[in-house]
Amino acid sequence: MKTILLLPAFFYGLIQAALPPQSIAPLYDHLHEVNAQWQYQTDLPFSLSETVFFTDDTERIHAHLERVILLLRQRQPELSEAVLARRLHLLDQLATYSEARQFPQNLFHAQRQPYFIDHEGTACAVGHLLQKSGFEAFAEKVSREMNYAYVMDMPYPELGSWALSHGFTKEELALIQPGYSPTITWNPVGHGTDGTVRHMYHDPASQRLYVAGDFDWIDSVAAHHIALSENGQFQPMGGGLDGEITSMQAFNGKLYVGGYFTNGKNIAVWDGNAWSYEQAISDTVTALAVFQNELYATGAQGIGMSGTQTGFFAKKQNGQWLNKRSFEGPAYCMTNHNSRLYIGGALSPASFHPYFAAYTADGNAVIPATQSFERLDAPIRDFASDGTFLYAVGDLCDDQQNPTFGFARLGNSGWELLYQKDLSTGNFNRRSFKKVMVHQNQVLVSGNFQLTPFVGIYGGGVAKLVYQGSYSFLEAVSILDTTVHAMAEMNGELLIGGAFDSLGTTWDRKKAGHLLKTDQFTGLFDTDISPLSLHPNPMETHSRTILAGSGPLESVALFDVKGQQVSVPIHIRGREIEIERGNLAPGMYFVRVKGADQQLGQGKLLVR
């Protein structure tokens, strides 16, 4: 097994070079995180050595602006009476702006970035000063052409002239201008549920979302352990189900639900009006999958001669379930990857390589997933494929707290370890990844874990895989109080469900209702490619951008949230690009611009 992508927890944080607002650290470190111009400031009327923390980045930016205002008020530049009056008036405006705490949102970048005016029209501090002094048109021009630039990199003579006539230096404007941290905003799904969400499944054919778990109502709708959402409205599915629900799969216009039910059956079938039941071998069905237009089930049954639970692998054929293979040890998951159906679990070495297997495309045999003698050292809990790699997740440690693989991927050269519990730093104080999925070209893991790097983004429940050169690390994208059992994608949004009932830090808890969603991910983005400043954004009929530099543009491509290219009228005039809406449905889209031999820009485009 290769471990070339594994880094110690403390190094992950150093790569990110980000200080979480909740970190207890000197005030200088927090202010420098918001704006690096603090390193050049002298003769301060306050101390930056006090140790502080903040509930979130909004409060930290507010603290930054408060100190900037104190510093600029105590300075006494030689100005005319009229210019000084304008300076003091704008500092008052800046104080009001800071107190309102309505700052731009960073939706389109994976790192801290200035936003002159964001997608909702919220201006940064410098943009706000321009607007309040009657220079709205110039602020709009900056937003169109250099929305994500730092003040010191803006070449506009108008900016220098405005600063001079309003009593500021360009260096002071640079100090005012914050960078904004990446924003992942989780929102409740209606009123949530009254119990743990265990599984979710989105059927792309019917555009229905199915949710199952230990609940009796969902979004104020009575639904016994299972419900469907259509057009944003939840509705019950008959009288619901009694028993353990482990998996769901649409097949031939019906929904198949795996598990173990109180009537002794292990598959329930919903035809749109009522439930019926089937039996795939015995005991618990743990996973269902469609492979080559046929339905398969796998799971666990009984206790074998070795004293351990055995597994089964069955196929529905001519209306009957036929056992295709038995395993020593239970199977937990299945997925399609490169014309094979992969099976994972706590499978025994007596059968083949432990914990993983593959069903061949011709449907005749179960074979090892790789031909070498490598193995994963813990049961596989879930699989996901991006077409190139097969990703596997499992427990982060065994019952004796010894670290196990946690997160790995299978490529042409075998298994590569992506993440493992680091006992020396204690960067995990919980113990399992439950699910893995590919969402907007990003690999996400969820489960019962907590990331606590020395420096970096604190959080738990959901994390994304981030590549930095030849290294990889996990970056938290949520702060949840306990396990995330399920993830699903629907209409470009990521939905998560679990046992959690609260979202946020201990200083700022919000009700979560076991079910949350977000549409804020940068999955198609490469941080080495320049961001596009699209305007207007969101768009209703068209959007434009002007690229800096020179040279011909080769192509402009637009992708939907699933990474599929979509066709709309796009006009290229020199370095200016205009995108027409055409027949685009409302939602999130990704724009990529190519030159002769390289990517020139990328951006997110919201369509109303």
Side-chain angles (χ1 to χ4, degrees), residues 102-109 114-124 140 143-144 147-148 180-185 187 518-521 532-540 543 587-589 603-608:
Q102 296 296 315
F103 307 133
Q105 298 179 62
N106 175 355
L107 301 188
F108 306 149
H109 298 82
Y115 274 56
F116 208 74
I117 300 176
D118 74 2
H119 68 290
E120 293 185 342
T122 303
C124 74
E140 289 292 326
S143 177
R144 285 194 304 271
N147 199 45
Y148 310 121
Y180 303 98
S181 63
T183 301
I184 300 291
T185 301
N187 298 304
T518 185
D519 61 1
Q520 296 167 350
F521 270 89
L532 295 176
S533 179
L534 294 155
H535 185 85
N537 192 1
M539 83 167 186
E540 295 182 355
S543 187
M588 180 80 74
Y589 295 87
K604 271 188 177 181
L605 180 61
L606 297 173
V607 176
R608 282 179 172 160

Side-chain angles (χ1 to χ4, degrees), residues 326-399:
S326 295
F327 309 128
E328 293 185 35
Y332 297 140
C333 55
M334 289 190 294
T335 199
N336 292 284
H337 175 63
N338 292 346
S339 300
R340 285 181 176 168
L341 183 62
Y342 282 75
I343 308 160
L347 309 179
S348 168
S351 300
F352 35 74
H353 296 246
Y355 310 130
F356 56 91
Y359 195 65
T360 58
D362 60 14
N364 291 324
V366 176
I367 63 172
T370 64
Q371 299 304 315
S372 64
F373 289 101
E374 64 189 15
R375 56 166 286 179
L376 297 176
D377 59 359
I380 294 175
R381 302 294 178 185
D382 195 29
F383 277 139
S385 171
D386 66 1
T388 302
F389 295 102
L390 176 69
Y391 296 89
V393 293
D395 298 339
L396 290 157
C397 56
D398 59 23
D399 292 338

Side-chain angles (χ1 to χ4, degrees), residues 21 40 59 106 139 161-162 204 250 303 358 368 380 394 438 441 477 521 524 563:
Y40 306 120
E59 288 304 312
N106 175 355
S161 299
W162 176 88
I303 299 293
I380 294 175
V438 179
N441 283 9
V477 296
F521 270 89
L524 290 178

Side-chain angles (χ1 to χ4, degrees), residues 195-250:
T196 298
V197 172
R198 300 276 178 192
H199 300 279
M200 290 193 293
Y201 172 71
H202 174 232
D203 176 16
S206 66
Q207 285 299 304
R208 288 175 175 169
L209 174 73
Y210 297 92
V211 181
D214 309 332
F215 55 81
D216 285 307
W217 59 260
I218 181 168
D219 194 19
S220 302
V221 174
H224 188 54
H225 297 174
I226 189 167
L228 67 84
S229 174
E230 189 170 23
N231 299 321
Q233 300 295 319
F234 282 100
Q235 51 189 280
M237 300 172 67
L241 294 171
D242 285 303
E244 179 184 6
I245 298 173
T246 64
S247 53
M248 293 182 277
Q249 176 66 55

